[in-house]
Every structure is written in C-alpha cells, then in structure tokens.
Amino acid sequence: MADYFARHPEVDVVYGHRLVINERSYEVARWVLPVHDAELLLWADFIPQETCFWRRSIYEKIGGMDPSFQFALDWDLLLRLQKAGARMVRLPYFTGAFRMHSEQKNAVTINTDGYKEMQLLRERELGREFNRGGLARG
C-alpha cells in the first residue's frame, strides 16, 4: 500500500477485494468489488473496512473516527472522507480478510445499533427520511 500511495499522490483512500474466512481459517467466500462509485457509497457501505487504507492527512482533516457510532463507524468515516474530497480507488487485488464467527459484531448488533446507525447515515447523506424499502429497485 505504501508503494501505491507513493506512486499515486493524488489518491487518498484505497481498498480492494475481500476474502472471507471461517473460524478455522478456511476461505469460504470472496467479494470482488466494483470500481469506486461515490453515489453508491451514499446508499450502502460496500467497502470492507479491513481492505481499506488512507492517508493520515485526509484522516486528520476530517477529525478521525466519530466515537458516537458503535456499528457504522467505518461507513461514517468513509462518507466523511468522500465529502472532504478524498479521491478513493478500488485496487484489483485482495487486500484484506474478514473472519466470520458467531460472536462477531456484525451478527450480534446489526438488528439493534446497526440498522439505526445505517438509517441515520443515509438520512444525513441523502437529506431525507429513509426506510429500508427505499433500497429496493422498482
């Protein structure tokens, strides 16, 4: 990543594809991500946090992580980076792995903090009330 940033000073944030592994470290899935889509990021957090790297300067510009978020803190960070003008690039490599297990935060808190925080972010970014049915394509 350091080499990519050194060769591309115009890029602030990079991320890549994701491997999904289970509790026994066996690969169980692969997420191959599309090129970066700023509009899509307003609707859905499609960037796996463990695959993402950013420059310290842009991170400090936005004031870092917002500790008021417990579930969607990574999506909030990405949205604020994007709003601050960060140039984001998806690299065509696997740059991180996500371990699935029964006690992971995503599985345990999505129905409580998760949906509330995601709704809050969509409403903040889209400027209107939002409901889950709004994600369906007509």
Side-chain angles (χ1 to χ4, degrees), residues 6 11 16-17 24 28 31 34 37-39 44 52 55 60 63 84 100 109 112-113 116 118 122 126-127 129 134 138:
V11 175
H17 306 312
R24 299 176 63 195
V28 295
W31 287 24
D37 184 330
E39 182 68 22
C52 192
R55 293 185 187 278
E60 289 176 349
M100 291 178 37
T109 64
T112 56
D113 295 333
K116 289 179 203 170
M118 290 185 289
R122 286 187 185 105
L126 299 170
E129 284 191 38

Side-chain angles (χ1 to χ4, degrees), residues 1-12 14 55 87 89 91-93:
M1 291 303 154
D3 182 59
Y4 184 88
F5 279 125
R7 289 184 291 112
H8 299 276
E10 74 284 2
V11 175
D12 299 297
V14 296
R55 293 185 187 278
R87 174 139 186 252
V89 174
L91 300 177
Y93 323 114

Side-chain angles (χ1 to χ4, degrees), residues 48-59:
Q49 60 87 15
E50 73 280 359
T51 74
C52 192
F53 301 83
W54 53 82
R55 293 185 187 278
R56 179 189 299 245
S57 57
I58 194 75
Y59 181 78

Side-chain angles (χ1 to χ4, degrees), residues 16-19 29-35 46 48 90-94:
H17 306 312
R18 167 194 254 183
L19 294 173
R30 291 180 179 208
W31 287 24
V32 177
L33 300 169
V35 296
F46 65 92
R90 189 272 297 150
L91 300 177
Y93 323 114
F94 288 92

Side-chain angles (χ1 to χ4, degrees), residues 3-131:
D3 182 59
Y4 184 88
F5 279 125
R7 289 184 291 112
H8 299 276
E10 74 284 2
V11 175
D12 299 297
V13 178
V14 296
Y15 61 95
H17 306 312
R18 167 194 254 183
L19 294 173
V20 180
I21 56 176
N22 66 15
E23 293 145 327
R24 299 176 63 195
S25 297
Y26 294 125
E27 181 183 326
V28 295
R30 291 180 179 208
W31 287 24
V32 177
L33 300 169
V35 296
H36 186 68
D37 184 330
E39 182 68 22
L40 178 59
L41 189 60
L42 301 176
W43 289 88
D45 181 13
F46 65 92
I47 300 174
Q49 60 87 15
E50 73 280 359
T51 74
C52 192
F53 301 83
W54 53 82
R55 293 185 187 278
R56 179 189 299 245
S57 57
I58 194 75
Y59 181 78
E60 289 176 349
K61 179 180 178 180
I62 65 161
M65 302 295 278
D66 180 343
S68 69
F69 286 94
Q70 300 301 306
F71 183 89
L73 62 157
D74 49 347
W75 190 18
D76 170 67
L77 177 75
L78 292 167
L79 290 166
R80 289 185 299 114
L81 287 167
Q82 182 169 273
K83 191 177 281 187
R87 174 139 186 252
M88 302 172 128
V89 174
R90 189 272 297 150
L91 300 177
Y93 323 114
F94 288 92
T95 59
F98 178 78
R99 183 179 304 275
M100 291 178 37
H101 56 88
S102 61
E103 299 302 314
Q104 70 194 45
K105 186 171 157 183
N106 289 5
V108 173
T109 64
I110 192 163
N111 291 316
T112 56
D113 295 333
Y115 287 131
K116 289 179 203 170
E117 290 184 6
M118 290 185 289
Q119 179 171 334
L120 174 75
L121 289 174
R122 286 187 185 105
E123 289 175 0
R124 181 184 82 191
E125 297 304 315
L126 299 170
R128 61 182 170 82
E129 284 191 38
F130 182 85
N131 63 49

